[in-house]
PDB file of all heavy atoms in Angstrom:
ATOM      1  N   SER A 120       4.044   6.490 -34.474  1.00 85.00           N
ATOM      2  CA  SER A 120       3.802   6.402 -33.026  1.00 85.00           C
ATOM      3  C   SER A 120       3.735   7.800 -32.417  1.00 85.00           C
ATOM      4  O   SER A 120       4.353   8.750 -32.915  1.00 85.00           O
ATOM      5  CB  SER A 120       4.897   5.587 -32.334  1.00 85.00           C
ATOM      6  OG  SER A 120       6.128   6.271 -32.362  1.00 85.00           O
ATOM      7  N   VAL A 121       2.971   7.899 -31.350  1.00 89.00           N
ATOM      8  CA  VAL A 121       2.859   9.132 -30.574  1.00 89.00           C
ATOM      9  C   VAL A 121       2.997   8.755 -29.101  1.00 89.00           C
ATOM     10  O   VAL A 121       2.434   7.761 -28.641  1.00 89.00           O
ATOM     11  CB  VAL A 121       1.504   9.839 -30.808  1.00 89.00           C
ATOM     12  CG1 VAL A 121       1.351  11.027 -29.860  1.00 89.00           C
ATOM     13  CG2 VAL A 121       1.380  10.292 -32.243  1.00 89.00           C
ATOM     14  N   THR A 122       3.777   9.552 -28.367  1.00 90.00           N
ATOM     15  CA  THR A 122       4.001   9.267 -26.952  1.00 90.00           C
ATOM     16  C   THR A 122       3.523  10.433 -26.099  1.00 90.00           C
ATOM     17  O   THR A 122       3.756  11.599 -26.440  1.00 90.00           O
ATOM     18  CB  THR A 122       5.497   9.008 -26.677  1.00 90.00           C
ATOM     19  OG1 THR A 122       5.933   7.891 -27.461  1.00 90.00           O
ATOM     20  CG2 THR A 122       5.735   8.684 -25.205  1.00 90.00           C
ATOM     21  N   ARG A 123       2.855  10.103 -25.017  1.00 92.00           N
ATOM     22  CA  ARG A 123       2.456  11.094 -24.030  1.00 92.00           C
ATOM     23  C   ARG A 123       3.011  10.670 -22.672  1.00 92.00           C
ATOM     24  O   ARG A 123       3.026   9.493 -22.335  1.00 92.00           O
ATOM     25  CB  ARG A 123       0.925  11.218 -23.942  1.00 92.00           C
ATOM     26  CG  ARG A 123       0.281  11.780 -25.208  1.00 92.00           C
ATOM     27  CD  ARG A 123       0.548  13.270 -25.332  1.00 92.00           C
ATOM     28  NE  ARG A 123      -0.154  13.857 -26.478  1.00 92.00           N
ATOM     29  CZ  ARG A 123       0.348  13.961 -27.696  1.00 92.00           C
ATOM     30  NH1 ARG A 123       1.589  13.492 -27.933  1.00 92.00           N
ATOM     31  NH2 ARG A 123      -0.342  14.518 -28.678  1.00 92.00           N
ATOM     32  N   SER A 124       3.443  11.647 -21.889  1.00 93.00           N
ATOM     33  CA  SER A 124       3.966  11.387 -20.540  1.00 93.00           C
ATOM     34  C   SER A 124       3.062  12.058 -19.521  1.00 93.00           C
ATOM     35  O   SER A 124       2.783  13.251 -19.619  1.00 93.00           O
ATOM     36  CB  SER A 124       5.397  11.919 -20.411  1.00 93.00           C
ATOM     37  OG  SER A 124       5.914  11.663 -19.119  1.00 93.00           O
ATOM     38  N   VAL A 125       2.601  11.268 -18.550  1.00 95.00           N
ATOM     39  CA  VAL A 125       1.693  11.781 -17.518  1.00 95.00           C
ATOM     40  C   VAL A 125       2.282  11.446 -16.151  1.00 95.00           C
ATOM     41  O   VAL A 125       2.218  10.296 -15.707  1.00 95.00           O
ATOM     42  CB  VAL A 125       0.281  11.175 -17.658  1.00 95.00           C
ATOM     43  CG1 VAL A 125      -0.649  11.770 -16.601  1.00 95.00           C
ATOM     44  CG2 VAL A 125      -0.274  11.394 -19.055  1.00 95.00           C
ATOM     45  N   PRO A 126       2.884  12.412 -15.465  1.00 96.00           N
ATOM     46  CA  PRO A 126       3.479  12.126 -14.159  1.00 96.00           C
ATOM     47  C   PRO A 126       2.414  11.920 -13.074  1.00 96.00           C
ATOM     48  O   PRO A 126       1.389  12.596 -13.049  1.00 96.00           O
ATOM     49  CB  PRO A 126       4.320  13.379 -13.855  1.00 96.00           C
ATOM     50  CG  PRO A 126       4.433  14.108 -15.164  1.00 96.00           C
ATOM     51  CD  PRO A 126       3.181  13.784 -15.916  1.00 96.00           C
ATOM     52  N   ILE A 127       2.682  10.951 -12.191  1.00 96.00           N
ATOM     53  CA  ILE A 127       1.863  10.769 -10.999  1.00 96.00           C
ATOM     54  C   ILE A 127       2.733  11.044  -9.777  1.00 96.00           C
ATOM     55  O   ILE A 127       3.961  10.918  -9.824  1.00 96.00           O
ATOM     56  CB  ILE A 127       1.254   9.356 -10.910  1.00 96.00           C
ATOM     57  CG1 ILE A 127       2.357   8.281 -10.923  1.00 96.00           C
ATOM     58  CG2 ILE A 127       0.259   9.131 -12.037  1.00 96.00           C
ATOM     59  CD1 ILE A 127       1.843   6.877 -10.689  1.00 96.00           C
ATOM     60  N   MET A 128       2.095  11.426  -8.676  1.00 96.00           N
ATOM     61  CA  MET A 128       2.839  11.785  -7.470  1.00 96.00           C
ATOM     62  C   MET A 128       2.210  11.115  -6.253  1.00 96.00           C
ATOM     63  O   MET A 128       0.990  11.057  -6.115  1.00 96.00           O
ATOM     64  CB  MET A 128       2.841  13.308  -7.276  1.00 96.00           C
ATOM     65  CG  MET A 128       3.641  13.779  -6.072  1.00 96.00           C
ATOM     66  SD  MET A 128       3.698  15.582  -5.955  1.00 96.00           S
ATOM     67  CE  MET A 128       4.871  15.792  -4.613  1.00 96.00           C
ATOM     68  N   ASN A 129       3.066  10.602  -5.378  1.00 96.00           N
ATOM     69  CA  ASN A 129       2.603  10.033  -4.119  1.00 96.00           C
ATOM     70  C   ASN A 129       2.561  11.136  -3.060  1.00 96.00           C
ATOM     71  O   ASN A 129       3.588  11.559  -2.546  1.00 96.00           O
ATOM     72  CB  ASN A 129       3.535   8.898  -3.670  1.00 96.00           C
ATOM     73  CG  ASN A 129       3.109   8.313  -2.332  1.00 96.00           C
ATOM     74  OD1 ASN A 129       1.972   8.507  -1.894  1.00 96.00           O
ATOM     75  ND2 ASN A 129       4.015   7.603  -1.686  1.00 96.00           N
ATOM     76  N   ARG A 130       1.361  11.583  -2.742  1.00 95.00           N
ATOM     77  CA  ARG A 130       1.197  12.600  -1.709  1.00 95.00           C
ATOM     78  C   ARG A 130       0.862  11.955  -0.350  1.00 95.00           C
ATOM     79  O   ARG A 130       0.504  12.660   0.602  1.00 95.00           O
ATOM     80  CB  ARG A 130       0.096  13.587  -2.110  1.00 95.00           C
ATOM     81  CG  ARG A 130       0.381  14.302  -3.433  1.00 95.00           C
ATOM     82  CD  ARG A 130      -0.678  15.355  -3.717  1.00 95.00           C
ATOM     83  NE  ARG A 130      -0.586  15.838  -5.096  1.00 95.00           N
ATOM     84  CZ  ARG A 130       0.217  16.813  -5.496  1.00 95.00           C
ATOM     85  NH1 ARG A 130       1.003  17.403  -4.631  1.00 95.00           N
ATOM     86  NH2 ARG A 130       0.238  17.194  -6.767  1.00 95.00           N
ATOM     87  N   SER A 131       0.969  10.643  -0.266  1.00 94.00           N
ATOM     88  CA  SER A 131       0.737   9.938   1.001  1.00 94.00           C
ATOM     89  C   SER A 131       1.947  10.084   1.911  1.00 94.00           C
ATOM     90  O   SER A 131       3.039  10.474   1.482  1.00 94.00           O
ATOM     91  CB  SER A 131       0.479   8.448   0.748  1.00 94.00           C
ATOM     92  OG  SER A 131      -0.479   8.240  -0.262  1.00 94.00           O
ATOM     93  N   ARG A 132       1.763   9.699   3.181  1.00 92.00           N
ATOM     94  CA  ARG A 132       2.851   9.792   4.141  1.00 92.00           C
ATOM     95  C   ARG A 132       3.634   8.493   4.261  1.00 92.00           C
ATOM     96  O   ARG A 132       4.509   8.374   5.118  1.00 92.00           O
ATOM     97  CB  ARG A 132       2.295  10.203   5.508  1.00 92.00           C
ATOM     98  CG  ARG A 132       1.646  11.590   5.484  1.00 92.00           C
ATOM     99  CD  ARG A 132       1.483  12.145   6.877  1.00 92.00           C
ATOM    100  NE  ARG A 132       2.751  12.196   7.579  1.00 92.00           N
ATOM    101  CZ  ARG A 132       2.891  11.981   8.878  1.00 92.00           C
ATOM    102  NH1 ARG A 132       1.835  11.676   9.616  1.00 92.00           N
ATOM    103  NH2 ARG A 132       4.080  12.052   9.452  1.00 92.00           N
ATOM    104  N   ARG A 133       3.328   7.510   3.394  1.00 92.00           N
ATOM    105  CA  ARG A 133       4.107   6.273   3.379  1.00 92.00           C
ATOM    106  C   ARG A 133       4.277   5.815   1.929  1.00 92.00           C
ATOM    107  O   ARG A 133       3.532   6.250   1.047  1.00 92.00           O
ATOM    108  CB  ARG A 133       3.446   5.186   4.239  1.00 92.00           C
ATOM    109  CG  ARG A 133       2.136   4.654   3.738  1.00 92.00           C
ATOM    110  CD  ARG A 133       1.667   3.474   4.605  1.00 92.00           C
ATOM    111  NE  ARG A 133       2.376   2.248   4.299  1.00 92.00           N
ATOM    112  CZ  ARG A 133       2.833   1.402   5.223  1.00 92.00           C
ATOM    113  NH1 ARG A 133       2.656   1.652   6.509  1.00 92.00           N
ATOM    114  NH2 ARG A 133       3.471   0.306   4.879  1.00 92.00           N
ATOM    115  N   PRO A 134       5.257   4.944   1.655  1.00 94.00           N
ATOM    116  CA  PRO A 134       5.473   4.486   0.274  1.00 94.00           C
ATOM    117  C   PRO A 134       4.239   3.771  -0.277  1.00 94.00           C
ATOM    118  O   PRO A 134       3.450   3.176   0.468  1.00 94.00           O
ATOM    119  CB  PRO A 134       6.662   3.524   0.401  1.00 94.00           C
ATOM    120  CG  PRO A 134       7.371   3.957   1.643  1.00 94.00           C
ATOM    121  CD  PRO A 134       6.294   4.443   2.577  1.00 94.00           C
ATOM    122  N   VAL A 135       4.103   3.825  -1.600  1.00 94.00           N
ATOM    123  CA  VAL A 135       2.947   3.246  -2.282  1.00 94.00           C
ATOM    124  C   VAL A 135       3.431   2.341  -3.413  1.00 94.00           C
ATOM    125  O   VAL A 135       4.257   2.754  -4.233  1.00 94.00           O
ATOM    126  CB  VAL A 135       2.035   4.361  -2.855  1.00 94.00           C
ATOM    127  CG1 VAL A 135       0.996   3.784  -3.789  1.00 94.00           C
ATOM    128  CG2 VAL A 135       1.356   5.126  -1.732  1.00 94.00           C
ATOM    129  N   ASP A 136       2.938   1.099  -3.432  1.00 94.00           N
ATOM    130  CA  ASP A 136       3.226   0.177  -4.538  1.00 94.00           C
ATOM    131  C   ASP A 136       2.188   0.396  -5.638  1.00 94.00           C
ATOM    132  O   ASP A 136       0.978   0.351  -5.383  1.00 94.00           O
ATOM    133  CB  ASP A 136       3.176  -1.273  -4.065  1.00 94.00           C
ATOM    134  CG  ASP A 136       4.282  -1.599  -3.080  1.00 94.00           C
ATOM    135  OD1 ASP A 136       5.380  -1.024  -3.223  1.00 94.00           O
ATOM    136  OD2 ASP A 136       4.057  -2.430  -2.179  1.00 94.00           O
ATOM    137  N   VAL A 137       2.676   0.607  -6.867  1.00 95.00           N
ATOM    138  CA  VAL A 137       1.787   0.877  -7.998  1.00 95.00           C
ATOM    139  C   VAL A 137       2.096  -0.113  -9.116  1.00 95.00           C
ATOM    140  O   VAL A 137       3.254  -0.323  -9.481  1.00 95.00           O
ATOM    141  CB  VAL A 137       1.982   2.317  -8.530  1.00 95.00           C
ATOM    142  CG1 VAL A 137       0.986   2.610  -9.650  1.00 95.00           C
ATOM    143  CG2 VAL A 137       1.838   3.332  -7.411  1.00 95.00           C
ATOM    144  N   SER A 138       1.038  -0.744  -9.639  1.00 96.00           N
ATOM    145  CA  SER A 138       1.197  -1.663 -10.763  1.00 96.00           C
ATOM    146  C   SER A 138       0.333  -1.199 -11.928  1.00 96.00           C
ATOM    147  O   SER A 138      -0.856  -0.896 -11.754  1.00 96.00           O
ATOM    148  CB  SER A 138       0.799  -3.091 -10.358  1.00 96.00           C
ATOM    149  OG  SER A 138       0.794  -3.937 -11.496  1.00 96.00           O
ATOM    150  N   LEU A 139       0.948  -1.170 -13.121  1.00 95.00           N
ATOM    151  CA  LEU A 139       0.226  -0.862 -14.355  1.00 95.00           C
ATOM    152  C   LEU A 139       0.004  -2.115 -15.189  1.00 95.00           C
ATOM    153  O   LEU A 139      -0.408  -2.032 -16.351  1.00 95.00           O
ATOM    154  CB  LEU A 139       1.009   0.167 -15.176  1.00 95.00           C
ATOM    155  CG  LEU A 139       1.289   1.521 -14.510  1.00 95.00           C
ATOM    156  CD1 LEU A 139       2.211   2.348 -15.395  1.00 95.00           C
ATOM    157  CD2 LEU A 139      -0.012   2.274 -14.244  1.00 95.00           C
ATOM    158  N   ALA A 140       0.269  -3.286 -14.613  1.00 94.00           N
ATOM    159  CA  ALA A 140       0.263  -4.536 -15.387  1.00 94.00           C
ATOM    160  C   ALA A 140      -1.097  -4.805 -16.021  1.00 94.00           C
ATOM    161  O   ALA A 140      -1.186  -5.145 -17.215  1.00 94.00           O
ATOM    162  CB  ALA A 140       0.680  -5.703 -14.489  1.00 94.00           C
ATOM    163  N   ASP A 141      -2.176  -4.665 -15.253  1.00 94.00           N
ATOM    164  CA  ASP A 141      -3.506  -4.950 -15.808  1.00 94.00           C
ATOM    165  C   ASP A 141      -3.875  -3.959 -16.903  1.00 94.00           C
ATOM    166  O   ASP A 141      -4.427  -4.341 -17.944  1.00 94.00           O
ATOM    167  CB  ASP A 141      -4.562  -4.910 -14.691  1.00 94.00           C
ATOM    168  CG  ASP A 141      -4.427  -6.079 -13.724  1.00 94.00           C
ATOM    169  OD1 ASP A 141      -3.704  -7.043 -14.056  1.00 94.00           O
ATOM    170  OD2 ASP A 141      -5.038  -6.028 -12.644  1.00 94.00           O
ATOM    171  N   ALA A 142      -3.574  -2.685 -16.667  1.00 94.00           N
ATOM    172  CA  ALA A 142      -3.883  -1.665 -17.675  1.00 94.00           C
ATOM    173  C   ALA A 142      -3.084  -1.913 -18.953  1.00 94.00           C
ATOM    174  O   ALA A 142      -3.611  -1.802 -20.067  1.00 94.00           O
ATOM    175  CB  ALA A 142      -3.580  -0.275 -17.124  1.00 94.00           C
ATOM    176  N   ALA A 143      -1.803  -2.273 -18.800  1.00 94.00           N
ATOM    177  CA  ALA A 143      -0.951  -2.519 -19.966  1.00 94.00           C
ATOM    178  C   ALA A 143      -1.460  -3.709 -20.779  1.00 94.00           C
ATOM    179  O   ALA A 143      -1.505  -3.672 -22.014  1.00 94.00           O
ATOM    180  CB  ALA A 143       0.492  -2.754 -19.512  1.00 94.00           C
ATOM    181  N   ALA A 144      -1.874  -4.776 -20.074  1.00 93.00           N
ATOM    182  CA  ALA A 144      -2.369  -5.965 -20.769  1.00 93.00           C
ATOM    183  C   ALA A 144      -3.673  -5.663 -21.506  1.00 93.00           C
ATOM    184  O   ALA A 144      -3.887  -6.117 -22.646  1.00 93.00           O
ATOM    185  CB  ALA A 144      -2.572  -7.099 -19.762  1.00 93.00           C
ATOM    186  N   LYS A 145      -4.547  -4.895 -20.896  1.00 92.00           N
ATOM    187  CA  LYS A 145      -5.850  -4.585 -21.493  1.00 92.00           C
ATOM    188  C   LYS A 145      -5.706  -3.711 -22.734  1.00 92.00           C
ATOM    189  O   LYS A 145      -6.395  -3.925 -23.746  1.00 92.00           O
ATOM    190  CB  LYS A 145      -6.723  -3.890 -20.456  1.00 92.00           C
ATOM    191  CG  LYS A 145      -8.074  -3.436 -20.978  1.00 92.00           C
ATOM    192  CD  LYS A 145      -8.839  -2.680 -19.904  1.00 92.00           C
ATOM    193  CE  LYS A 145     -10.164  -2.138 -20.452  1.00 92.00           C
ATOM    194  NZ  LYS A 145     -10.893  -1.343 -19.449  1.00 92.00           N
ATOM    195  N   LEU A 146      -4.803  -2.715 -22.681  1.00 93.00           N
ATOM    196  CA  LEU A 146      -4.727  -1.717 -23.747  1.00 93.00           C
ATOM    197  C   LEU A 146      -3.779  -2.106 -24.878  1.00 93.00           C
ATOM    198  O   LEU A 146      -3.759  -1.451 -25.918  1.00 93.00           O
ATOM    199  CB  LEU A 146      -4.331  -0.365 -23.160  1.00 93.00           C
ATOM    200  CG  LEU A 146      -5.423   0.230 -22.253  1.00 93.00           C
ATOM    201  CD1 LEU A 146      -4.897   1.411 -21.480  1.00 93.00           C
ATOM    202  CD2 LEU A 146      -6.632   0.623 -23.071  1.00 93.00           C
ATOM    203  N   ARG A 147      -2.995  -3.166 -24.646  1.00 91.00           N
ATOM    204  CA  ARG A 147      -2.086  -3.616 -25.713  1.00 91.00           C
ATOM    205  C   ARG A 147      -2.864  -3.988 -26.968  1.00 91.00           C
ATOM    206  O   ARG A 147      -2.397  -3.792 -28.093  1.00 91.00           O
ATOM    207  CB  ARG A 147      -1.255  -4.793 -25.207  1.00 91.00           C
ATOM    208  CG  ARG A 147      -0.021  -5.088 -26.054  1.00 91.00           C
ATOM    209  CD  ARG A 147       0.849  -6.158 -25.420  1.00 91.00           C
ATOM    210  NE  ARG A 147       1.432  -5.704 -24.158  1.00 91.00           N
ATOM    211  CZ  ARG A 147       1.213  -6.276 -22.978  1.00 91.00           C
ATOM    212  NH1 ARG A 147       0.400  -7.318 -22.891  1.00 91.00           N
ATOM    213  NH2 ARG A 147       1.790  -5.829 -21.896  1.00 91.00           N
TER     214      ARG A 147
END
Side-chain angles (χ1 to χ4, degrees):
S120 68
V121 173
T122 300
R123 294 286 185 269
S124 180
V125 182
I127 58 174
M128 182 176 188
N129 178 18
R130 301 185 192 275
S131 311
R132 297 197 56 215
R133 67 174 283 137
V135 169
D136 294 326
V137 184
S138 173
L139 300 173
D141 290 346
K145 176 184 176 183
L146 293 169
R147 197 173 294 119

